[in-house]
Amino acid sequence: MEQEKCAIPTITNNNGTLTFSSATEGAACRYEITRAGTGNSMTLPATSDYVVKVWATKAGYQDSDVATTTITMKQGDVNGDGGVSITDAVAVVNIILNGGASAPALSEPEEAGQEPE
């Protein structure tokens, strides 16, 4: 009798936090993140593409097919908006002041002469 196969996982990228899930109840997601290259040394570039491969596994089931995506990471892009700016510095300060918690969303600046709510 052939074993049932785990469902292919989904990969969600939320500002640099990757989340993996499979529709197979109780399945664990395994992952591999690689950056292609050759040579005896490397310098980390300011922007790099990483290949993310994820598969689901569970006792009594066959491993799922592999889900693959490529993500681009930019050094200094703390808030995950694709750029490096003062908002990244603000995000770092918020993370430090919040004891490692995610930075709260930035609010729109008050218009001149308007009282804060």
Side-chain angles (χ1 to χ4, degrees):
M1 182 175 198
E2 192 172 323
Q3 292 178 319
E4 188 175 351
K5 196 173 205 176
C6 290
I8 298 173
T10 58
I11 303 169
T12 305
N13 183 354
N14 185 10
N15 292 330
T17 299
L18 300 177
T19 305
F20 315 123
S21 60
S22 172
T24 303
E25 189 175 333
C29 290
R30 307 273 185 211
Y31 63 90
E32 179 180 293
I33 300 175
T34 58
R35 182 178 169 278
T38 58
N40 296 327
S41 67
M42 73 175 252
T43 301
L44 292 175
T47 302
S48 291
D49 288 333
Y50 293 87
V51 177
V52 180
K53 296 180 180 181
V54 183
W55 63 97
T57 183
K58 181 178 178 178
Y61 286 70
Q62 290 182 24
D63 287 356
S64 72
D65 291 333
V66 177
T68 303
T69 190
T70 300
I71 58 171
T72 300
M73 300 294 292
K74 188 172 206 172
Q75 288 182 358
D77 183 14
V78 176
N79 64 2
D81 66 0
V84 178
S85 67
I86 190 65
T87 59
D88 294 296
V90 171
V92 169
V93 171
N94 283 329
I95 291 168
I96 292 168
L97 294 177
N98 290 322
S102 297
L106 298 175
S107 59
E108 292 295 318
E110 299 292 331
E111 288 189 32
Q114 194 176 33
E115 290 293 318
E117 296 176 6

